[in-house]
Amino acid sequence: MVFDVIIGRSKKDVEKFGKEGTIILGKQYVQMGQTTSLSNPVYMDVAGAHVMFIVGKRGSGKSYSLGAIAEGISDLPLEIKQNLSILLLDTMGIYWTMKYPNFQDADMVRSWGFEPKPLDVKIYTPGGFYALYRNEGIPTDFPFSIRPLDVAPEDWCISFELAVNSAEGVLLTRVVQELNKKGTSYDLNEIIRLVKEDTESDLVSQHIVSSQFEKARGWGIFSKEGTPLKDIVAGGQVTVLDLSPYATMASGWAIKALVVGLVARSLFQQRMLARKTEEFKTVDAAMHYFTKSVEEKMEDPLVWLALDEAHELLPNGSKTAATDALITILREGRQPGISLILASQQPAKIHT
């Protein structure tokens, strides 16, 4: 007998809401004698906050599954999806293809009852690569940048592979903290200038730190203004943050981890603030907003954050600039309404 499998929803909620606010993930393999077939549809609740771990060998469909989840959220009724946003942190540069119909697998898509179609994906590319991508016809919609003001001294040290308590780490921390005290945004040139003018450090330390910030200038992702979080995380929007320009760059994963960490931390802070101001009376209403008797659009949507190659960003036994922010969401993301999807082919290397 075929029946629906709904992941992430209690029996009580299934009885109350049915499949409303869910997306289809696939079908369950059922073996009967010598025959193995696809039978029970498997759905996932996306109106609540969850942590999801997708594991499989190379080429098994992990990245495809992340795209399918994004498409499922995009296809939800307006009254539900207007209060949800999904952000794909694309470390390998593959999700731009969702802008186009999947004619390559058209027969398979139709066998599931769907038609190949383009998805309204908003692609953000690091500002230093945006013009190049546009000129070469590589799909991108908007430039993306982050403010140096938002990077903590420890995150700079991790990204530059400098010990926090070393002479260079102390110099970096002192300069960044002095700039932060002013309460106004600044660019990398200002950091470099103050490092070179510092009177409490030796010339070697100044040279090492200033050289690291000169290198960071070449990453093409820092600006004094930065990209507002509300632009990339909007209700009903599927956003791809393309970090693939760093795939072949020296310290590429350190750069990606820095960006992921900043985005994750900012999302958590935004949702914690929003959670305090939203007109919810119970946690159930907050996690299942669409069930309220009067449908309204939230100012700050509930967020799904999706990461591929997660073992590189949240490694077991070491720390990246993304580690603390991702662990915070893993442990505390449910209440503010942040869901996290981690995909990896090496689960043993994931932080536990």
Side-chain angles (χ1 to χ4, degrees):
M1 179 180 177
V2 177
F3 60 91
D4 293 334
V5 178
I6 300 180
I7 299 173
R9 185 168 286 184
S10 68
K11 183 178 179 180
K12 179 181 178 181
D13 282 348
V14 170
E15 293 174 351
K16 184 176 182 180
F17 306 122
K19 292 185 293 185
E20 189 176 12
T22 69
I23 61 172
I24 187 164
L25 289 181
K27 291 185 178 180
Q28 178 188 20
Y29 278 104
V30 176
Q31 185 169 0
M32 300 181 66
Q34 300 298 316
T35 303
T36 300
S37 62
L38 290 169
S39 181
N40 301 322
V42 179
Y43 296 87
M44 181 177 73
D45 171 63
V46 294
H50 306 285
V51 173
M52 186 176 183
F53 192 23
I54 301 175
V55 181
K57 64 182 182 179
R58 185 185 300 274
S60 62
K62 299 183 300 298
S63 300
Y64 196 97
S65 297
L66 292 178
I69 292 171
E71 183 174 355
I73 291 176
S74 178
D75 287 342
L76 287 169
L78 177 61
E79 67 270 17
I80 300 175
K81 73 176 183 180
Q82 69 180 355
N83 294 320
L84 298 173
S85 178
I86 182 164
L87 174 59
L88 296 159
L89 294 164
D90 188 0
T91 59
M92 306 306 292
I94 59 176
Y95 291 108
W96 61 268
T97 58
M98 293 194 299
K99 276 184 169 289
Y100 304 96
N102 184 10
F103 291 127
Q104 181 178 350
D105 300 317
D107 290 341
M108 180 190 71
V109 172
R110 291 189 178 104
S111 72
W112 282 80
F114 301 104
E115 283 294 325
K117 64 178 181 179
L119 201 62
D120 184 19
V121 178
K122 307 300 182 186
I123 301 178
Y124 283 78
T125 302
F129 299 89
Y130 177 73
L132 175 65
Y133 274 36
R134 297 286 288 185
N135 291 337
E136 294 187 356
I138 300 173
T140 182
D141 296 307
F142 307 101
F144 172 81
S145 64
I146 55 181
R147 302 185 304 173
L149 173 66
D150 296 324
V151 185
E154 182 185 9
D155 292 335
W156 284 122
C157 288
I158 292 175
S159 301
F160 294 156
E161 297 183 340
L162 299 175
V164 175
N165 295 322
S166 66
E168 295 80 14
V170 171
L171 167 59
L172 185 155
T173 300
R174 180 168 59 249
V175 167
V176 171
Q177 288 180 341
E178 284 299 318
L179 285 169
N180 289 348
K181 286 179 182 178
K182 297 179 180 180
T184 58
S185 191
Y186 51 87
D187 58 21
L188 293 184
N189 291 331
E190 183 71 3
I191 299 178
I192 294 170
R193 182 181 67 80
L194 291 183
V195 167
K196 292 180 177 180
E197 294 177 356
D198 187 78
T199 58
E200 300 181 39
S201 57
D202 59 85
L203 290 176
V204 174
S205 297
Q206 290 179 18
H207 176 72
I208 291 173
V209 175
S210 62
S211 296
Q212 290 295 329
F213 280 108
E214 291 280 4
K215 180 177 70 174
R217 195 155 52 184
W219 297 349
I221 201 165
F222 296 106
S223 73
K224 192 173 183 179
E225 297 78 18
T227 301
L229 193 61
K230 287 182 178 292
D231 289 352
I232 64 173
V233 181
Q237 182 170 302
V238 177
T239 302
V240 173
L241 180 52
D242 183 8
L243 300 178
S244 64
Y246 307 116
T248 58
M249 190 178 292
S251 304
W253 277 108
I255 304 170
K256 296 174 189 178
L258 179 64
V259 176
V260 170
L262 287 174
V263 170
R265 184 186 306 127
S266 298
L267 281 174
F268 185 82
Q269 292 171 347
Q270 173 190 286
R271 281 300 311 158
M272 285 297 291
L273 179 62
R275 182 66 182 87
K276 294 177 182 178
T277 57
E278 289 163 358
E279 296 179 349
F280 292 111
K281 299 301 181 181
T282 65
V283 171
D284 180 69
M287 294 301 97
H288 295 87
Y289 187 85
F290 68 91
T291 65
K292 293 173 74 74
S293 57
V294 178
E295 305 294 352
E296 298 176 358
K297 184 174 182 179
M298 298 163 61
E299 182 177 350
D300 296 296
L302 307 181
V303 180
W304 282 79
L305 187 63
L307 303 171
D308 209 347
E309 304 294 338
H311 57 277
E312 298 282 1
L313 300 167
L314 193 60
N316 187 20
S318 60
K319 184 176 182 179
T320 73
T323 297
D324 289 344
L326 292 178
I327 289 177
T328 298
I329 291 177
L330 281 169
R331 293 176 176 173
E332 305 173 33
R334 183 181 182 278
Q335 184 178 6
I338 303 178
S339 297
L340 183 62
I341 310 174
L342 302 175
S344 174
Q345 62 186 11
Q346 301 184 59
K349 291 187 176 182
I350 291 279
H351 178 88
T352 56

